[in-house]
Amino acid sequence: PLYTRLVQREVAEQLASRLVAEAASRAGGAPSRDQLLATLRESIAAMIPVAGGIALEPGRTRRVALVGPPGSGKTTTLAKLAAHFRLRCRRAVALLSLDMHRMATHDQLRRYAEVIGVPFRAAQTVSALKQAMNELTGADLILIDTAGVAPREQGRFARLAALLRAARAEELHLVIPASMTLSAQRQAAAGFAPLGVSRLALTRL
């Protein structure tokens, strides 16, 4: 059954067979289904290279932007990162929204920023973005939220690209749901590559 589940999720048959065999061998004896599943998850996790998180340097502002298709979880991921660095790491964090289409997202992030006690700005033009950046000086980390845009939407995509160039983000994280099919993930990766994506963030794990 685990082999079948992997193949149905577009894992290559040969790889799925090897993963299940390795998991059974590592679990040893006559493992229960839950034990086998846990061992299989560990085997898959060990295969995935992990970048290691956002590195901050003393006295320097790091700008990190999140991009991805609509509904991928960018705003939620940004909120989690903000809470981590502000509340756990005690760093100065600022939130910036470049969402050009959903005012509700601005309101959501603004309320969240108030709750955790960090500044928030929204910008929809390059000039407004430059002003927002000037107002956010002193932050250790500026987290930049963007609109969910499909690369085929050429006008909106070009506008997003212009805003990201003006933001001068050191890291551009592509946010993709783990629940997406492999073909859709590859399409998203290829579509957003021209923006200069440097990291991948998987949501809905």
Side-chain angles (χ1 to χ4, degrees), residues 123 133 150:
M133 285 297 189

Side-chain angles (χ1 to χ4, degrees), residues 26 33 109 134 147 162 187 205:
R26 286 179 57 198
R33 183 183 177 281
L109 271 180
N134 289 334
Q187 257 186 339
L205 290 169

Side-chain angles (χ1 to χ4, degrees), residues 43-56:
S43 297
I44 294 172
M47 295 172 62
I48 301 172
V50 179
I54 300 168
L56 302 183

Side-chain angles (χ1 to χ4, degrees), residues 82-133:
H84 171 77
F85 281 100
R86 174 69 182 92
L87 303 177
R88 291 187 180 178
C89 302
R90 302 295 180 185
R91 306 304 291 264
V93 178
L95 304 185
L96 173 63
S97 175
L98 303 183
D99 195 325
M100 304 161 281
H101 310 288
R102 296 188 305 156
M103 293 308 296
T105 301
H106 289 179
D107 294 336
Q108 178 186 355
L109 271 180
R110 182 177 287 106
R111 286 194 300 270
Y112 193 80
E114 289 173 358
V115 168
I116 64 173
V118 301
F120 168 82
R121 297 291 184 275
Q124 296 180 319
T125 64
V126 171
S127 59
L129 172 59
K130 290 178 179 177
Q131 181 181 341
M133 285 297 189

Side-chain angles (χ1 to χ4, degrees), residues 2 20 23-25 27 31-41:
L2 293 178
V20 173
S25 174
S32 68
R33 183 183 177 281
D34 288 344
Q35 288 174 320
L36 190 58
L37 182 59
T39 308
L40 178 63
R41 285 176 173 156

